[in-house]
Amino acid sequence: MLIADVAVPVPLAKPFSYEIPAALAASVAPGARVLCDFGRRQLMGIVLTVEEREPAPGVSYKPLRAVVEATPVVSAELLGFLRALSSYYFAPIGAVLRLALPAVEKRSVERLEGQGELLSASALSGTKRVASALEWVASATERLEAPGSLRGQARELLAWLRATGPTPVARLEDRFSNARAASKRLEGLGLVKLERSERAVAPWFTESVERDAPPELTTAQQQAVSRISASIRGERDVRGFLLFGVTGSGKTEVYLHAIAQALARGRGAIVMVPEIALTPQLVSRFRARFGDDVAIIHSQLGERARHEMHRRLVSGTVRAAIGARSALFAPVASLGLVIVDEEHDSSFKQEEGVRYHARDMALLRAHRAGATVVLGSATPSAESYELTRKGKLEMIRLPDRARREAALPDVTVVDLKRVGAGPSGHKMLTLPLHRALDATLAKGEQAIIFLNRRGHSPTIVCGSCGHVATCKACSVALTFHQRRGRGDLQGSVKCHYCGYEDSVPEACDECGASAILLEGLGTEKLEETISAAFAGARVGRLDRDVADGGRAERVLEQMRRRELDILVGTQMVTKGHDFSHVTLVGVVNADAALNLPDFRAGERSFQLLVQVAGRAGRSDLPGKVLIQTYSPAHPAIELAKLHDVEAFLARELADRKETRYPPFARLALVRVDAMDLPVAERAATALAARARRTPAGQAGHVEVLGPAPAPLARLRGRYRYRVLLRAEDRGPLRAVLAAIEAEIELLDRRVRAVIDVDPVSML
Ligand code: ADP
Ligand code: ZN
């Protein structure tokens, strides 16, 4: 009997077997999409294998219903990789396939529905649209308002809409502080129409970009390119590189040449970057070199654009893809090169659903495809650095900045224990920082000020009893966010984890005193403080709140055009930006990230400091960096001051070896949560006990730590526990995880338990 093993989009680990009817035998192949009966539903699945075999006695298989399209939607290379990924992470193959496929082509679903073949349109990857790709758009109607009936912003907003045409509400909010309320009111009067529409495709995907000519490479770049190119041409056995180049050393130019080499050999390329919305400039450099030969994979692409891109990549009309971590799954044909830019960035780890690490999996996909892989960073991760020491990756160094005039900036550490407030009176705007900003503004240059907290005031505290307001659903403090253009206490409190939002409490929950104080410093308040201290300076802000409003590109563009003098922001300001007039970088408080309960806290702080410092002095103007801290002697700070990445890595690796953490041990985290604390605790205890009972657990080949409450003990109303597994080798760890996976199936239905292999977030 001819049998197909099919992955269906249900969260079950195993594929299901179906009989292939004779009529379909010719068109069913691995990677093809098929319709099959599943319980009482029909689902669309992907064929994994086709095989002639006899079912076990007493077992019968249902026949496949239909083949959706004759050509496989997933190539053998990609399918094999997805199966390897699914196995590595103990993730259901159906869920993994869902990551790799664009939403099912509507048309083919409609066609099948029309033929009565498709009873349920629930298909791989679903047809649900991502909320973030949708937005409200306001447009003026033909109707005229009664004379004098409108006042204030409503009136201005309407006039604006009449003049400029339909505008997303998020855009209007840049201009009118009351945009949301005003447009609702205008809608009520029938003067404005509000429509939910798909967000426009990012401009760089449709706009044509002027082609550029490559600059003459520096000697170091040349050597890097020739070593990588020889690998792509198959003239060398080395297939993996760590491109360790200081900030501004011109890594992008090396990537561009490597891609050109791959394309010239008729092979495709994938480029992964941390966050595509923050790197429009980088993306446009790829477009400028390769034009339409590069597809931009973007979460804000509409369904149709996504399909179109998928189709062009599969057919090989477009041969290179660039995107954030999901570009890992791009169906690039004949893959010859995979690049991971800023490989140390933790956004490459997906923290929900299939918890994969795109950098680690880039190594796997490239290896399986026989492709060359380049990991690039100014601050390589301890893991990648160790791979070079073990000879698994070849190290390529770019020790100097690419532009001859550019030098690494001078770094000064400001000890917050000794140095007090400057003229603004705010403790965090110290005298040295104030003076440095003054000097920068006087020269007409730009500054970036980095602070790790968003919102206005991250602590809402009772002045009478000292109680700190926390979220009712999470064990997390609430943050005060200000409403634009209002005075103190006008705004709301928010939980940054569950999205809970409420007005500022009038009285303390604990003692009832009406003595609520807003304390601490977030980016909103910093923006306000700096604006007040430097009258006339144009201050902008970039953080998650700005980015979620779709305004990140705008702010970056203003910065590039020098319409802003000072940019205040969170991690987002540290990423790869290349602004030639930024000569001052200030780190308001370097300690925030140092003290997290995570073995990577020191490494992350160090990377952040070096990266943000790397935004200064990238062109011919010399740069200066001020790092404010309460712990000036911390090695992460001392070595960041010296730009000594390798000394830091050597220290860090010695530490990790001694404490037996990655890359010298393998970790897996079993995360358990439930609405009831005892239910979660019992489940975690059962899983830990199961792990200890396995042969590898008993022999001590796998260490079982816990169960213990997670550092964030409660999130979204669920109590969280975890069990940490640690082993020297992957084999025994996998054996224990397999036992845990089976045990999870038997748990109380109220419990959610997931396996996180090679965890990144320890919270
Ligand atoms: P990195 O990614 O290593 O931080 P970039 O690739 O952004 O560095 O390059 C830093 C700057 O140097 C950019 O403005 C880039 O245009 C410039 N640059 C790169 N290579 C060269 C070169 N060979 N000659 C002159 N300028 C270069
Ligand atoms: Zn919350």
Side-chain angles (χ1 to χ4, degrees), residues 318-341:
V318 171
R319 290 176 299 163
I322 179 168
R325 61 171 179 259
S326 65
L328 172 67
F329 304 110
V332 167
S334 181
L335 187 63
L337 177 65
V338 181
I339 291 167
V340 185
D341 188 27

Side-chain angles (χ1 to χ4, degrees), residues 179-196:
R180 221 157 264 274
S183 31
K184 286 242 172 73
R185 183 140 37 89
L186 290 167
E187 188 193 26
L189 296 168
L191 297 168
V192 154
K193 213 162 64 194
L194 280 177
E195 273 173 319
R196 209 148 161 69

Side-chain angles (χ1 to χ4, degrees), residues 471 473-474 495 497-500:
C471 175
C474 310
C495 169
Y497 284 86
C498 70
Y500 164 85

Side-chain angles (χ1 to χ4, degrees), residues 470-476 478 494-500 714-717:
T470 54
C471 175
K472 293 201 169 48
C474 310
S475 40
V476 173
L478 294 170
K494 287 185 189 171
C495 169
H496 287 176
Y497 284 86
C498 70
Y500 164 85
R714 194 160 169 254
L715 273 190
R716 295 180 190 89

